[in-house]
């Protein structure tokens, strides 16, 4: 047995449905993917339901499942995972939120992304240092994400994740008042805290030099913070203890990095603008030091959400070219899959299973020759659930323990 390392390569949103723009082929079927096809030819293939058949998995629940953490047991909401991915040290019991900067004009949201502002470090620091919730017995952590995104965490006694959002999710509407979703003192208290945070943040941002400069330049100011996805930080069994593997996560998406950090993987920072070749080099370097690397590549999912079939196909071809160095490693067990399907025809996650390859020493090579949704369905792995993937990979690197005598 030569495979001693595991690479879990997740192409975000890779699965699709036939697209008219591609001659009724999926982007995978239409793309030229010599390296992925080589992995398929020399590996074992199948299709996989990331959580379960018929479930439209989110990226959060699917990644937990694929890492061996049943979301039914571990998932407490996206907010705390996003916060962890933005660099906030999330402790059990803290309440985390996804956040984004927006432009509010005459009381109405005119731009939910504040002109797609790129650098929010300075204004985020001003919010973090300026908002004072001490009268509520609450402290905050607030960190920028990529672009207009950010994350908020609340720490204190008597808090709850049972609150709504202030995001109207459309322009031309006023920011919403956050209200409790349960009739508890904790939920009511937290809703009051969140509304006060939003009020103070808006006051700090209104006359901040960054926004005044943006207005002078004809750009939309980032003068409001919209928060959503409240969740209470849970307790995760450390990845190394659970699977007896050291590991790292390489992912430009804050959510995925946050999931990795939350379960105990070391985060290797990359940005959405980091070239794929550099990301692959980082993964290769981590594989020299660690037993396991989770490598998430995001953009195919975004093209699916935008309904851009040709662009999704083209990006899959870029991924294929970039991953060629992985094929030369004899010590590597490679699993290639998606976290969910994002068909261009519906511009949203679907419950369609994703194609799966497992390549490396010890696999029972089947007759599949291409990496796509239909070809892989005929593979030797048949159809599995994502919660089984880590157990299968661990068995192939001889890291499992016998069940029974």
């Amino acid at each position: 047995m030569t495979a001693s390392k595991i690479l879990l390569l997740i192409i975000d949103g890779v699965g699709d449905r036939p697209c008219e723009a591609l001659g009724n082929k999926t982007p995978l079927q239409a793309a030229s993917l010599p390296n992925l096809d080589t992995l398929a030819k020399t590996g074992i293939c199948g299709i996989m339901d990331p959580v379960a058949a018929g479930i439209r998995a989110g990226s959060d629940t699917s990644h937990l499942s694929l890492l061996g953490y049943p979301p039914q047991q571990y998932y407490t909401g996206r907010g705390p995972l996003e916060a962890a991915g933005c660099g906030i040290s999330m402790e059990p019991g803290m309440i985390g939120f996804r956040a984004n900067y927006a432009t509010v004009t005459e009381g109405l949201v005119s731009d939910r992304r504040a002109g797609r502002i790129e650098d929010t470090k300075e204004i985020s620091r001003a919010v973090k240092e300026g908002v004072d919730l001490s009268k509520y017995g609450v402290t905050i952590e607030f960190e920028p994400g990529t672009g207009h995104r950010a994350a908020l965490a609340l720490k204190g006694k008597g808090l709850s994740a049972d609150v709504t959002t202030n995001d109207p999710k459309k322009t031309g509407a006023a920011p919403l008042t956050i209200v409790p979703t349960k009739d508890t003192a904790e939920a009511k208290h937290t809703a009051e805290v969140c509304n006060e945070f939003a009020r103070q943040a808006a006051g700090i941002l209104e006359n901040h030099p960054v926004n005044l400069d943006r207005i002078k330049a004809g750009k939309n100011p980032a003068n409001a913070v919209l928060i959503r996805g409240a969740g209470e930080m849970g307790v995760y069994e450390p990845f190394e203890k659970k699977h007896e593997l050291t590991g790292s996560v390489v992912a430009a998406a804050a959510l995925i990095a946050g999931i990795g950090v939350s379960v105990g993987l070391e985060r290797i920072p990359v940005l959405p603008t980091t070239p794929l070749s550099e990301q692959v080099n980082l993964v290769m370097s981590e594989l020299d030091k660690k037993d396991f690397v989770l490598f998430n590549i995001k953009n195919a999912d975004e093209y699916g959400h935008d309904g851009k079939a040709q662009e999704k196909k083209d990006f899959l071809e870029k991924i294929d070219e970039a991953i060629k160095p992985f094929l030369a490693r004899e010590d590597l067990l490679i699993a290639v899959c998606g976290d969910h399907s994002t068909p261009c025809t519906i511009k949203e996650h679907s419950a369609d299973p994703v194609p799966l390859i497992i390549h490396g020493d010890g696999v029972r090579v089947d007759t599949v020759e291409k990496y796509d949704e239909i070809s892989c369905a005929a593979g030797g792995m048949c159809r599995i659930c994502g919660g089984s993937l880590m157990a299968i990979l661990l068995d192939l690197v001889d890291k499992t323990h016998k069940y029974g005598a």
Side-chain angles (χ1 to χ4, degrees), residues 95 99 135 157 198 242 363 376 381:
I95 308 300
K135 70 177 182 179
K157 294 181 179 180
K242 185 176 181 65
V363 304
C376 287
M381 287 297 296

Side-chain angles (χ1 to χ4, degrees), residues 7-11 14-15 28 36 39-41 43-50 66 334-339 353-359 366 368 370-390 392-393 396:
L7 169 62
L8 177 52
L9 170 57
I10 298 179
I11 305 174
V14 68
L28 279 174
L36 286 166
L39 290 176
K41 290 175 186 176
I44 187 168
C45 298
I47 53 175
M48 180 176 68
D49 299 292
L66 297 176
I334 305 173
V336 182
C337 61
D339 54 341
V354 298
L356 168 69
I357 304 169
I358 300 178
H359 174 277
D366 57 28
V368 175
K370 285 184 61 63
Y371 181 61
D372 62 58
E373 300 87 346
I374 304 306
S375 298
C376 287
M381 287 297 296
C382 302
R383 185 168 182 165
I384 67 168
C385 286
S388 300
L389 182 60
M390 276 302 301
I392 293 168
L393 300 179
L396 287 166

Side-chain angles (χ1 to χ4, degrees), residues 102-112 167-176 226:
T103 302
V104 172
T105 306
E106 296 182 353
L108 303 178
V109 176
S110 56
D111 186 343
R112 293 182 63 250
D167 186 357
K169 298 185 179 179
K170 61 182 179 180
T171 57
L176 303 175
L226 304 178

Side-chain angles (χ1 to χ4, degrees), residues 166-187:
N166 65 338
D167 186 357
K169 298 185 179 179
K170 61 182 179 180
T171 57
L176 303 175
T177 298
I178 295 170
V179 298
T181 58
K182 290 186 178 179
D183 187 19
T184 66
E186 292 81 5

